[in-house]
Amino acid sequence: MKTPPIQYQRGWVEFYKLKFKVTPKVLIPRPETELLVDEIIKYASNVSNKKNGITILDIGTGSGNIAISLAKNLDYPGNIEIIASDRSSSALNIAKQNAEFHNLLHKIEFVKSDLLKNVKIYSQNPNSKLLIVTNLPYIPSYRIPYLDSSVKDFEPHIALDGGDDGFDLYRNLFSQIKKGEYNFDLLVGEIDYTQSEIALAEANIFFPKFKSSILTDLNHKQRILLVQNK
């Protein structure tokens, strides 16, 4: 009999020095994903201004670990609006439980949505900064059967499978951003370590006037896509 990952056995995981409930309905948060939180906080500190607001969209929130970590740690003098979306009702339910555990349910709007389809931004501040952060599924479909059994046999495939080359959901998100004319200032996304060339090429196609770059994780693997308004 296969043994579930220890995080599912005990029912929680630590992420960004915070405790999060996890079940097989959500992906187990990984340490490298903390880099996404770091980049959003770093950007916010650089544009710190009481007159400006910040709207953060966490797309594919899962357990809510990114949105909640930001709400807990973001020290910003202006108004902050955090919207976390997921297409899974089960994942959103867990995310809400985690937000309630950290007394942050009032600071985050949770939306059931396929990427941005049902997401509405309410900020009326023309100076508000729009930041998009996401850890979408990025494993190429053909690699799923070869993943470690602790991953492929227990974690939700909907949170792993990124299509033929692993970048299908990112292309869909980029398309929705462009069609919806979301005037974002920064997009931060976690990618597979093999996808840097694809990620940069697609970002340049959809957002040619933006600066795109790749950051490495603590294991020196190319892991984070940054798309920033010049």
Short mmCIF file of all heavy atoms in Angstrom, two decimals, residues 38-48 54 76 129-131 185-186 228-229:
data_model
loop_
_atom_site.label_atom_id
_atom_site.label_comp_id
_atom_site.label_asym_id
_atom_site.label_seq_id
_atom_site.Cartn_x
_atom_site.Cartn_y
_atom_site.Cartn_z
N ASP A 38 8.15 36.66 -2.37
CA ASP A 38 9.27 37.59 -2.23
C ASP A 38 9.24 38.68 -3.29
O ASP A 38 9.46 39.86 -2.99
CB ASP A 38 10.61 36.84 -2.34
CG ASP A 38 10.93 36.00 -1.12
OD1 ASP A 38 10.34 36.24 -0.05
OD2 ASP A 38 11.77 35.09 -1.25
N GLU A 39 8.99 38.29 -4.54
CA GLU A 39 9.03 39.25 -5.65
C GLU A 39 7.90 40.26 -5.55
O GLU A 39 8.09 41.44 -5.85
CB GLU A 39 8.97 38.51 -6.99
CG GLU A 39 10.24 37.78 -7.34
CD GLU A 39 11.45 38.71 -7.37
OE1 GLU A 39 11.36 39.79 -7.99
OE2 GLU A 39 12.48 38.34 -6.78
N ILE A 40 6.71 39.82 -5.15
CA ILE A 40 5.59 40.76 -5.00
C ILE A 40 5.88 41.75 -3.88
O ILE A 40 5.66 42.97 -4.02
CB ILE A 40 4.27 40.00 -4.72
CG1 ILE A 40 3.88 39.14 -5.94
CG2 ILE A 40 3.16 40.98 -4.39
CD1 ILE A 40 3.52 39.92 -7.18
N ILE A 41 6.38 41.26 -2.74
CA ILE A 41 6.69 42.13 -1.61
C ILE A 41 7.79 43.11 -1.99
O ILE A 41 7.73 44.31 -1.65
CB ILE A 41 7.10 41.30 -0.38
CG1 ILE A 41 5.89 40.53 0.15
CG2 ILE A 41 7.67 42.20 0.72
CD1 ILE A 41 6.19 39.59 1.30
N LYS A 42 8.80 42.64 -2.71
CA LYS A 42 9.90 43.51 -3.14
C LYS A 42 9.39 44.62 -4.05
O LYS A 42 9.75 45.79 -3.89
CB LYS A 42 10.95 42.69 -3.88
CG LYS A 42 12.20 43.47 -4.28
CD LYS A 42 13.07 42.68 -5.26
CE LYS A 42 13.47 41.34 -4.71
NZ LYS A 42 14.35 40.61 -5.65
N TYR A 43 8.53 44.26 -4.99
CA TYR A 43 7.98 45.27 -5.91
C TYR A 43 7.14 46.29 -5.15
O TYR A 43 7.27 47.51 -5.37
CB TYR A 43 7.14 44.61 -6.99
CG TYR A 43 6.61 45.59 -8.02
CD1 TYR A 43 7.34 45.91 -9.14
CD2 TYR A 43 5.37 46.21 -7.83
CE1 TYR A 43 6.87 46.82 -10.07
CE2 TYR A 43 4.89 47.12 -8.74
CZ TYR A 43 5.64 47.43 -9.87
OH TYR A 43 5.16 48.35 -10.77
N ALA A 44 6.31 45.80 -4.25
CA ALA A 44 5.44 46.70 -3.49
C ALA A 44 6.26 47.68 -2.66
O ALA A 44 5.90 48.86 -2.55
CB ALA A 44 4.51 45.89 -2.59
N SER A 45 7.36 47.23 -2.09
CA SER A 45 8.19 48.12 -1.28
C SER A 45 8.86 49.18 -2.13
O SER A 45 9.10 50.31 -1.68
CB SER A 45 9.25 47.32 -0.52
OG SER A 45 10.17 46.72 -1.41
N ASN A 46 9.14 48.84 -3.39
CA ASN A 46 9.78 49.80 -4.30
C ASN A 46 8.83 50.87 -4.81
O ASN A 46 9.26 51.95 -5.23
CB ASN A 46 10.42 49.07 -5.49
CG ASN A 46 11.66 48.29 -5.09
OD1 ASN A 46 12.31 48.61 -4.10
ND2 ASN A 46 11.97 47.26 -5.86
N VAL A 47 7.53 50.59 -4.80
CA VAL A 47 6.54 51.57 -5.28
C VAL A 47 5.69 52.09 -4.13
O VAL A 47 4.60 52.61 -4.33
CB VAL A 47 5.64 50.97 -6.39
CG1 VAL A 47 6.47 50.57 -7.59
CG2 VAL A 47 4.83 49.77 -5.87
N SER A 48 6.21 51.91 -2.92
CA SER A 48 5.48 52.30 -1.72
C SER A 48 5.05 53.76 -1.78
O SER A 48 5.86 54.67 -1.96
CB SER A 48 6.37 52.07 -0.49
OG SER A 48 5.70 52.44 0.68
N ILE A 54 -2.74 49.04 -4.42
CA ILE A 54 -2.24 47.84 -5.10
C ILE A 54 -3.36 46.82 -5.17
O ILE A 54 -4.03 46.54 -4.17
CB ILE A 54 -1.02 47.24 -4.36
CG1 ILE A 54 0.24 48.06 -4.64
CG2 ILE A 54 -0.78 45.80 -4.80
CD1 ILE A 54 1.50 47.49 -4.04
N TYR A 76 2.44 47.76 3.27
CA TYR A 76 2.28 48.76 2.22
C TYR A 76 1.36 49.86 2.73
O TYR A 76 0.28 49.58 3.25
CB TYR A 76 1.70 48.10 0.96
CG TYR A 76 1.61 49.01 -0.23
CD1 TYR A 76 2.75 49.31 -0.98
CD2 TYR A 76 0.40 49.57 -0.61
CE1 TYR A 76 2.68 50.15 -2.07
CE2 TYR A 76 0.33 50.41 -1.71
CZ TYR A 76 1.47 50.70 -2.43
OH TYR A 76 1.39 51.54 -3.52
N LYS A 129 -1.66 50.03 -8.70
CA LYS A 129 -0.79 49.08 -9.38
C LYS A 129 -1.47 47.71 -9.42
O LYS A 129 -2.01 47.25 -8.41
CB LYS A 129 0.55 48.96 -8.66
CG LYS A 129 1.30 50.28 -8.49
CD LYS A 129 1.85 50.79 -9.80
CE LYS A 129 2.67 52.05 -9.60
NZ LYS A 129 3.23 52.58 -10.87
N LEU A 130 -1.44 47.07 -10.58
CA LEU A 130 -2.02 45.74 -10.71
C LEU A 130 -0.89 44.71 -10.81
O LEU A 130 -0.06 44.76 -11.72
CB LEU A 130 -2.90 45.67 -11.96
CG LEU A 130 -3.49 44.29 -12.28
CD1 LEU A 130 -4.35 43.77 -11.13
CD2 LEU A 130 -4.30 44.33 -13.58
N LEU A 131 -0.88 43.79 -9.85
CA LEU A 131 0.13 42.75 -9.81
C LEU A 131 -0.55 41.39 -9.96
O LEU A 131 -1.55 41.12 -9.29
CB LEU A 131 0.90 42.79 -8.49
CG LEU A 131 1.39 44.16 -8.01
CD1 LEU A 131 2.18 44.03 -6.71
CD2 LEU A 131 2.25 44.84 -9.08
N ASP A 185 1.16 45.84 -13.96
CA ASP A 185 2.50 46.39 -13.78
C ASP A 185 3.54 45.30 -13.61
O ASP A 185 4.70 45.48 -13.96
CB ASP A 185 2.52 47.32 -12.57
CG ASP A 185 1.67 48.55 -12.79
OD1 ASP A 185 2.19 49.54 -13.34
OD2 ASP A 185 0.48 48.52 -12.45
N LEU A 186 3.12 44.17 -13.04
CA LEU A 186 4.04 43.05 -12.84
C LEU A 186 3.28 41.74 -12.85
O LEU A 186 2.21 41.63 -12.23
CB LEU A 186 4.77 43.20 -11.49
CG LEU A 186 5.73 42.06 -11.11
CD1 LEU A 186 6.95 42.07 -12.03
CD2 LEU A 186 6.17 42.18 -9.65
N GLN A 228 7.35 42.60 -16.58
CA GLN A 228 7.19 43.88 -15.91
C GLN A 228 7.02 45.01 -16.90
O GLN A 228 7.69 45.06 -17.94
CB GLN A 228 8.40 44.17 -15.02
CG GLN A 228 8.24 45.40 -14.14
CD GLN A 228 9.35 45.49 -13.11
OE1 GLN A 228 10.07 44.52 -12.85
NE2 GLN A 228 9.49 46.66 -12.50
N ASN A 229 6.08 45.91 -16.57
CA ASN A 229 5.85 47.09 -17.39
C ASN A 229 7.10 47.97 -17.34
O ASN A 229 7.59 48.29 -16.25
CB ASN A 229 4.64 47.86 -16.86
CG ASN A 229 4.03 48.77 -17.91
OD1 ASN A 229 4.67 49.04 -18.92
ND2 ASN A 229 2.83 49.22 -17.67
#
